[in-house]
Amino acid sequence: MKKYKLRSSFLAGVAALLLSFSAFGAQKGELTDIAKPYLGVYECTQAQLSNRDLSKRFDDVKLELQDKGEYTFYYKEKGSKTKKVKGKYRYDDKRETLVFYLPNGSFIHREFPLKKGVLTVSVPYGDKILILQFEQK
């Protein structure tokens, strides 16, 4: 009789432990998220248009890479409310690069390097070059 109680309480404890891990996984992310270290929030540390520093115009600029290839870009100009733009992206883990799809479905056909938690975006803007650098928080 004691062996039966010991086994059932042991099984109940294991079941509770497994259920708590599965509940944690459902709330915080899946195990596959661990294999995607690029997911998360990136804070803009540099914003330049050619030699002009644009970071003084903004209180906050962030990029959030979410699961399923979706991103949200947040920006807040000084004296205004935070705005956000959503879109899709594709990550190439072998080359460690990102390609962004704009909300209208078009995509920027450039690969941007994402190495060691630092994303560098460099695109032509008129006759100048816009450079944004983001670091993962």
Side-chain angles (χ1 to χ4, degrees):
M1 189 73 147
K2 284 188 177 185
K3 286 184 180 181
Y4 181 72
K5 284 184 181 180
L6 181 63
R7 285 186 201 158
S8 64
S9 64
F10 176 74
L11 290 176
V14 170
L17 186 64
L18 290 175
L19 289 175
S20 68
F21 279 127
S22 64
F24 176 80
Q27 291 174 358
K28 298 293 182 187
E30 299 296 323
L31 288 177
T32 55
D33 290 346
I34 295 171
K36 299 178 181 178
Y38 58 88
L39 294 178
V41 177
Y42 292 76
E43 192 171 299
C44 186
T45 57
Q46 178 183 351
Q48 290 185 326
L49 184 59
S50 290
N51 292 330
R52 187 172 158 213
D53 184 13
L54 298 178
S55 61
K56 296 174 185 170
R57 286 184 54 190
F58 297 91
D59 284 332
D60 196 24
V61 179
K62 292 180 184 167
L63 174 68
E64 181 178 7
L65 298 180
Q66 301 153 345
D67 202 14
K68 298 181 183 174
E70 296 177 349
Y71 73 84
T72 306
F73 179 71
Y74 302 91
Y75 62 99
K76 182 180 184 305
E77 289 186 71
K78 291 191 184 279
S80 69
K81 293 183 178 182
T82 300
K83 297 175 184 166
K84 64 182 177 177
V85 177
K86 292 183 173 237
K88 298 203 177 270
Y89 71 91
R90 185 183 76 231
Y91 178 71
D92 184 337
D93 59 342
K94 290 180 182 154
R95 295 174 55 147
E96 295 180 302
T97 58
L98 284 172
V99 174
F100 290 101
Y101 296 83
L102 301 176
N104 63 5
S106 63
F107 66 98
I108 300 171
H109 193 69
R110 286 189 184 83
E111 294 181 343
F112 302 108
L114 174 57
K115 297 187 190 241
K116 297 182 181 180
V118 177
L119 171 66
T120 303
V121 176
S122 177
V123 292
Y125 186 77
D127 61 344
K128 299 177 181 179
I129 301 291
L130 175 65
I131 298 171
L132 302 172
Q133 190 168 41
F134 296 88
E135 290 186 25
Q136 192 172 29
K137 287 177 120 184

